Amino acid sequence: MKKVICSLCHGRGGDVIITCSNCYGSGYDPEEDKPFAQCHTCYGEGDEHADICPRCGGDGYYYVDEDEDEDEDEDEDEDEDEAKL
């Protein structure tokens, strides 16, 4: 396992802006009957303030399995090769 600094909060552990958990960034409330009703969580902004980083849980870092990280790099290379064809 490899310890990695959180890319969302940059190691701070909190006080981050995230995509709204209610409207998923649209700014409109998905539960409202009116088609363009403003989201009551983000007030139409599409993002919200989080005191604790949801990615690292406030630690400022998280652990990544080194084998998974290498597999992701290989998958990206395969995708690039397919795109060239």
Side-chain angles (χ1 to χ4, degrees), residues 2-41:
K2 180 178 165 184
K3 186 176 180 179
V4 179
I5 293 176
C6 180
S7 59
L8 182 61
C9 68
H10 303 288
R12 292 188 313 256
D15 193 31
V16 295
I17 304 296
I18 58 172
T19 302
C20 179
S21 58
N22 184 43
C23 70
Y24 302 104
S26 72
Y28 302 110
D29 193 339
E31 300 296 320
E32 192 68 38
D33 290 336
K34 299 174 188 170
F36 296 106
Q38 181 178 358
C39 177
H40 298 291
T41 302

Side-chain angles (χ1 to χ4, degrees), residues 1 63-76:
M1 298 286 269
Y63 293 95
V64 177
D65 193 11
E66 292 180 20
D67 294 335
E68 289 178 11
D69 190 31
E70 291 174 5
D71 291 340
E72 289 176 8
D73 292 339
E74 290 174 8
D75 291 340
E76 289 175 7

